[in-house]
Amino acid sequence: MLTSYDYPIAKIIDNAGIHTILVGDSVGPVMLGYPNTMPVTVDEMIYHTKAVAGAAKNALVIIDMPFMSYQESIEQAKRNAGRMIKESGAEAVKLDGGLNMKETIMAIVDIDIPVVGHIGLTPQSIHRMGGHKVQGKGDTAVKLLEDAKAVEEAGAFMIVLEGIPRGLAKEITDMLSIPTIGIGAGPDCDGQVLVIHDLLGLAGELRPKFVKTYLNLQAEIDNAIKTFIEEVKTGVFPDDAHSYH
Ligand code: KIV
């Protein structure tokens, strides 16, 4: 799984053979310059997901339900999940939470919308957690095992495990029958997800330990732009080959 927020990147990801594309609420910090995921709206999620769904011919497209689009009531969660599927072209929704979201997940699944769970370091709870901190260390592991079980029992078809010790991720993966997708959860999950801008080296200097950068696209882009400026200034571009006659 990889995240995507726009048409051209989604097309490349889809062609490359990725199974699932997540339009995460990470769109806030990654694409919109927000300080975190909290301000992201349902409208923004739909806008970005429409572009991604238009590009994805093979991959399953999952849309993240943003903060306060499902926490208020079961009715609100069903209404927003329905609208997000109806208007975005995604095939499943993802939401943060474990045992506390069991009934909400059940209600969304009950109206035939596939749900992906998300437990551990859930970004919509960073204020309670006191920041982006690894969850489930020591005694708190029991709570995450309960959360994982509740998400599966509620009918979710997949669960994201974020920012938890690898041993605990393995325990959860062994315990559940639905696939686990890890991010900062070690190698023993059934699948892995990264934010595409992290993978491509477009996310600046701040790199959490779990991120592997496969390309320094920021440097490549910087180099291309500086070369363009230089060539325009010196008259190298446009040359005759790039001119009409
Ligand atoms: O919003 C997001 O991109 C996510 C992934 C990091 C799992 O939730």
Side-chain angles (χ1 to χ4, degrees):
M1 181 189 289
L2 282 173
T3 68
S4 180
Y5 319 97
D6 60 54
Y7 184 85
I9 297 286
K11 209 164 178 187
I12 294 169
I13 292 175
D14 190 57
N15 280 336
I18 283 287
H19 294 160
T20 51
I21 300 180
L22 170 67
V23 187
D25 58 359
S26 51
V27 68
V30 173
M31 295 290 287
L32 305 174
Y34 298 165
N36 51 48
T37 62
M38 300 304 186
V40 176
T41 66
V42 168
D43 286 341
E44 286 166 339
M45 290 307 305
I46 291 172
Y47 176 84
H48 285 272
T49 307
K50 263 178 162 173
V52 170
K57 298 293 168 241
N58 301 300
L60 179 83
V61 177
I62 301 165
I63 184 169
D64 236 348
M65 296 193 72
F67 182 57
M68 288 318 292
S69 69
Y70 57 96
Q71 288 93 341
E72 211 175 289
S73 68
I74 299 241
E75 288 317 307
Q76 183 216 24
K78 284 201 289 187
R79 192 168 52 249
N80 279 322
R83 184 179 161 220
M84 292 172 82
I85 292 294
K86 202 178 172 86
E87 295 180 27
S88 74
E91 291 138 325
V93 299
K94 177 170 86 57
L95 54 89
D96 288 11
L99 195 51
N100 60 334
M101 284 295 143
K102 188 170 182 181
E103 283 179 24
T104 304
I105 296 173
M106 283 170 80
I108 298 174
V109 171
D110 197 45
I111 52 169
D112 288 341
I113 296 176
V115 176
V116 179
H118 186 166
I119 64 167
L121 198 180
T122 43
Q124 293 178 20
S125 306
I126 50 162
H127 296 322
R128 172 177 57 78
M129 292 169 181
H132 291 85
K133 293 185 178 155
V134 175
Q135 301 295 303
K137 284 185 168 177
D139 291 349
T140 57
V142 178
K143 169 81 177 80
L144 281 183
L145 286 161
E146 281 170 10
D147 283 339
K149 198 79 200 136
V151 167
E152 175 167 87
E153 282 172 2
F157 74 97
M158 186 186 274
I159 184 167
V160 171
L161 307 179
E162 177 164 356
I164 64 173
R166 61 178 286 183
L168 177 60
K170 177 169 171 30
E171 210 178 323
I172 293 173
T173 302
D174 290 346
M175 176 182 75
L176 299 185
S177 56
I178 56 172
T180 60
I181 308 294
I183 175 160
D188 299 307
C189 300
D190 295 306
Q192 296 291 328
V193 56
L194 279 180
V195 167
I196 186 69
H197 289 64
D198 288 339
L199 181 152
L200 295 177
L202 272 178
E205 293 311 308
L206 193 71
R207 262 177 232 150
K209 182 181 178 184
F210 65 81
V211 166
K212 183 167 178 187
T213 298
Y214 289 78
L215 180 70
N216 192 345
L217 200 50
Q218 193 166 318
E220 301 275 325
I221 292 173
D222 188 58
N223 191 32
I225 292 169
K226 285 184 175 143
T227 306
F228 170 71
I229 293 170
E230 190 54 30
E231 290 197 354
V232 170
K233 277 187 177 164
T234 55
V236 172
F237 178 84
D239 56 6
D240 197 49
H242 294 92
S243 303
Y244 294 112
H245 294 281

